[in-house]
Amino acid sequence: MTITALMPVYPRCDVRPVRGEGVYLYGEHGERYLDFAAGIAVNALGHGHPHLVKAIADQAATLMHVSNLYGSPQGEALARRIVDTSFADTLFFTNSGTEAVECAIKTARRYHHANGNPDRHTLITFNNAFHGRTMGAISATNQPKMRNGFEPLLPGFAYAPFNDLAAALELIDDHSAGFMVETIQGEGGVSAGTSEFIRGLRRACDEHGLLLVLDEVQCGYGRTGRMWAYEHYGITPDIMAVAKGIGAGFPLGACLATEEAAKGMVIGTHGSTYGGNPLACAAGMAVLDVMLAPGFLDHVAAMGERLRAALEQMIPNHDPIFDSVRGTGLMLGLKLKDSAEARSFVAHLRDHHGLLTVAAGENVVRILPPLVIEEAHVGEFIQKLSDGARTYAMPGDE
Ligand code: PLP
């Protein structure tokens, strides 16, 4: 038998973390890494944050799991707090981002069903989108690498170029349920929706009775220096998928909705064995205790500006490799010139400079540190990045 016990769907690298502390990860042999990947925008509070660790330990000792058939004081309290920080009136807890997206798709379809329009089932989504790996989520993206071999996919999706409002509006027809879009595309290359695009989608939804579904699994929950990325646009969605930072390492997600948009989600329409169990909610509460404390989001915004300014200053020093910086807050992308490859550069930083980042589409290196970084970490990151650029052999070099 040659197959590994772990199904071999990931190109796993040689970094094998066994311990984390703040902004650092440690490998099996004590190797230390500066973690500016944060589990791909998950470890918002870094590793081993004492408040989160204690909340999980205390709750595990008190009550870990009960069925959603019972009343949930823990779920009610966390839902109330999240709803109060957002556009939403209600939410459903999931265990992951893709399940939150799945619930968002179902909520959108049920809305039109409840309105007596079951034919309005098609969500218009966007090129380069990433919504996760369930059948619904891969059907919602037109990236062949996610879809190949999994056909037949779910019907009910149409695809337009990202940031092309006219093309999106062109696709509206009698079957349209709404738009589903990442406010800032993550995997696609840290591409922010333009103000004209996101606001235009909102306007079209209002004009045509459609729903605006935002996927803020990666860009939400404090990552951009605001609690939600949509706040930068002066609009609100009808439905939104959230995960990653919400549990800061504990598997938790949520599908948020307005009362109107959730009108079809009545008893029996959806469910989850684990979603929002007491342990998950304790983690979620602890994250919010930290994130909603005065000054936390301002700190994220300030660190984001520091980091961006430092990157911009550094780019001309490494002209053959670095092109430009993109993104918002602590969701930043460093676009490389064609002469370099994001994937191999990320591997180089990891293997030779103890720095963790993530490659994304459009030849971009994603920079997603824990939201608790301090100025000293920015300095250390820039030093490692700069050293990495100096020692990186371009593809084709001897
Ligand atoms: N949506 C977006 C925008 C994401 O970035 C991701 C994961 O990277 C997902 C959905 C899927 O989340 P998960 O991997 O938790 O299912």
Side-chain angles (χ1 to χ4, degrees):
M1 197 179 317
T2 55
I3 194 163
T4 47
L6 269 179
M7 195 180 277
V9 295
Y10 278 104
R12 292 177 186 273
C13 67
D14 291 338
V15 175
R16 297 167 66 82
V18 291
R19 189 166 69 80
E21 206 179 298
V23 180
Y24 299 95
L25 276 180
Y26 295 86
E28 284 174 313
H29 307 294
E31 323 83 283
R32 182 169 120 131
Y33 300 93
L34 179 65
D35 186 7
F36 269 43
I40 317 190
V42 168
N43 303 100
L45 307 186
H47 302 282
H49 191 284
H51 186 61
L52 179 59
V53 170
K54 183 170 184 325
I56 291 173
D58 287 352
Q59 188 63 46
T62 307
L63 179 65
M64 203 179 301
H65 176 81
V66 292
S67 163
N68 277 315
L69 295 173
Y70 305 115
S72 174
Q74 307 85 0
E76 285 164 12
L78 180 59
R80 167 54 49 208
R81 223 166 155 195
I82 295 173
V83 158
D84 284 348
T85 67
S86 76
F87 73 97
D89 301 310
T90 188
L91 66 76
F92 180 88
F93 285 121
T94 67
N95 311 288
S96 66
T98 199
E99 287 170 90
V101 166
E102 203 69 28
C103 181
I105 296 167
K106 288 179 72 175
T107 304
R109 287 193 178 178
R110 279 291 291 200
Y111 167 78
H112 292 292
H113 174 90
N115 280 345
N117 299 313
D119 288 345
R120 295 179 68 169
H121 44 55
T122 294
L123 282 170
I124 297 165
T125 64
F126 297 92
N127 292 353
N128 270 338
F130 182 71
H131 298 295
R133 300 292 197 149
T134 54
M135 288 303 297
I138 63 171
S139 303
T141 177
N142 61 354
Q143 293 198 56
K145 66 179 181 202
M146 321 249 174
R147 299 159 56 113
N148 278 352
F150 295 111
E151 299 84 359
L153 299 172
L154 298 188
F157 297 95
Y159 316 95
F162 186 65
N163 272 336
D164 187 337
L165 182 61
L169 302 187
E170 192 111 315
L171 290 178
I172 296 174
D173 64 20
D174 293 345
H175 295 298
S176 301
F179 301 101
M180 183 161 78
V181 64
E182 290 160 89
T183 324
I184 303 173
Q185 285 191 337
E187 306 288 321
V190 193
S191 303
T194 62
S195 185
E196 185 213 357
F197 178 63
I198 299 288
R199 294 170 72 95
L201 294 180
R202 174 71 270 172
R203 212 168 30 247
C205 286
D206 295 340
E207 280 167 13
H208 298 276
L210 302 173
L211 295 169
L212 181 61
V213 181
L214 293 183
D215 180 346
E216 294 212 359
V217 166
Q218 191 162 148
C219 62
Y221 238 82
R223 176 82 14 216
T224 65
R226 302 261 180 99
M227 190 64 197
W228 311 109
Y230 68 73
E231 293 175 33
H232 296 280
Y233 296 82
I235 56 109
T236 56
D238 302 295
I239 299 171
M240 184 167 76
V242 174
K244 294 196 186 260
I246 188 175
F250 195 93
L252 178 62
C255 171
L256 282 59
T258 62
E259 181 170 13
E260 173 68 8
K263 73 202 287 187
M265 299 305 278
V266 297
I267 287 172
T269 52
H270 199 48
S272 166
T273 294
Y274 295 119
N277 77 9
L279 190 56
C281 289
M285 271 295 191
V287 172
L288 280 186
D289 289 343
V290 176
M291 214 176 263
L292 296 180
F296 184 90
L297 292 173
D298 291 341
H299 175 78
V300 176
M303 286 300 111
E305 270 162 38
R306 281 270 161 181
L307 190 50
R308 172 184 273 274
L311 284 164
E312 271 165 3
Q313 205 180 4
M314 191 195 63
I315 283 175
N317 301 338
H318 302 283
D319 191 52
I321 301 187
F322 298 150
D323 181 80
S324 51
V325 190
R326 37 167 86 178
T328 312
L330 290 176
M331 182 172 181
L332 293 175
L334 178 57
K335 180 155 176 61
L336 304 188
K337 295 224 163 112
D338 289 345
S339 50
E341 284 169 2
R343 230 158 273 282
S344 78
F345 187 58
V346 164
H348 176 75
L349 293 174
R350 181 187 72 216
D351 296 341
H352 299 286
H353 297 275
L355 174 60
L356 302 182
T357 54
V358 198
E362 299 186 347
N363 211 24
V364 165
V365 175
R366 254 182 302 175
I367 301 160
L368 302 164
L371 305 184
V372 294
I373 55 165
E374 301 287 343
E375 247 176 86
H377 301 123
V378 174
E380 189 182 342
F381 169 77
I382 292 292
Q383 186 63 52
K384 284 180 181 295
L385 186 65
S386 176
D387 292 347
R390 248 189 316 100
T391 55
Y392 177 68
M394 305 279 210
D397 282 7
E398 284 310 304

